[in-house]
Amino acid sequence: MKKEYKTVYVYEKDVINDDFDKILNTWAEDGYTLHTIIPYILEGSTNGYTIIFEITVNHEN
């Protein structure tokens, strides 16, 4: 088993509401779990987020 990561960039103001929930739920439906959320801050305002998801996969070699 191996962990893999997927990075999603969200460059929108005020996305933390319903749209943010939709993003998290969409990835969760595919088996990903939330690893990290990093806000993108510019001149004291949050202008987006970097969201990192992780998933454990089985690799048969």
Side-chain angles (χ1 to χ4, degrees):
M1 292 175 40
K2 178 182 176 183
K3 289 193 179 195
E4 293 184 358
Y5 298 89
K6 176 67 177 174
T7 304
V8 178
Y9 302 99
V10 180
Y11 295 112
E12 297 179 25
K13 292 183 178 181
D14 302 323
V15 75
I16 197 72
N17 297 320
D18 293 336
D19 292 337
F20 195 73
D21 289 340
K22 289 176 187 175
I23 292 169
L24 295 178
N25 289 330
T26 299
W27 285 94
E29 289 173 2
D30 291 336
Y32 287 85
T33 57
L34 179 63
H35 183 273
T36 307
I37 299 175
I38 304 167
Y40 173 64
I41 299 172
L42 181 65
E43 297 179 4
S45 296
T46 303
N47 289 332
Y49 300 89
T50 300
I51 306 169
I52 302 172
F53 294 95
E54 83 176 41
I55 192 168
T56 302
V57 295
N58 293 324
H59 283 286
E60 295 182 20
N61 292 335

